[in-house]
Amino acid sequence: MKKQRRHQTLFISFAAGGPNQYTGKSMRKAHEGMNIKHEHFMAIVNHLAAALKEFNVSEEDIQAIAEKLMLMEKEIVEA
C-alpha cells in the first residue's frame, strides 16, 4: 500500500497541474484487464472529489481536477 499511496499522490499532483511528473505506465496499460466500467470510474472521481472537499479544497479546484480525470476515462474504462 505504501507504494500505491506514493504512486497515487504523484499521479494526482500531476493531474492537478502540480510540479510532480507522472512517469508510470500509460493509463491504458496500467488498467488493462481490470474490467473497469464507467460506473467504477465515476465512483473513484466522486470519492476523490469528496475527499478534496473534506480537506477544504475549493470547488473550482475540485472541478478542474475532475475535468482532467474525465479526459482520461477513455484510457481507463474498458468498453
Side-chain angles (χ1 to χ4, degrees):
M1 278 309 288
K2 186 175 182 178
K3 180 180 176 183
Q4 183 66 20
R5 281 187 192 110
R6 175 154 170 68
H7 180 77
Q8 287 295 322
T9 300
L10 291 173
F11 173 73
I12 291 168
S13 175
F14 167 75
N20 294 315
Q21 292 299 310
Y22 178 76
T23 58
K25 295 178 185 177
S26 71
M27 290 295 104
R28 185 175 308 281
K29 191 70 173 165
H31 298 91
E32 189 174 57
M34 295 178 129
N35 198 29
I36 298 172
K37 303 294 182 204
H38 173 74
E39 57 269 19
H40 305 137
F41 178 82
M42 290 309 300
I44 295 298
V45 172
N46 291 329
H47 287 305
L48 175 59
L52 293 171
K53 187 173 186 170
E54 189 172 319
F55 286 96
N56 299 314
V57 174
S58 73
E59 287 296 326
E60 182 180 321
D61 287 342
I62 293 171
Q63 185 63 33
I65 292 167
E67 287 173 8
K68 287 188 178 200
L69 293 175
M70 294 305 296
L71 294 174
M72 298 176 198
E73 182 178 16
K74 67 180 184 242
E75 299 295 317
I76 296 170
V77 171
E78 291 187 24

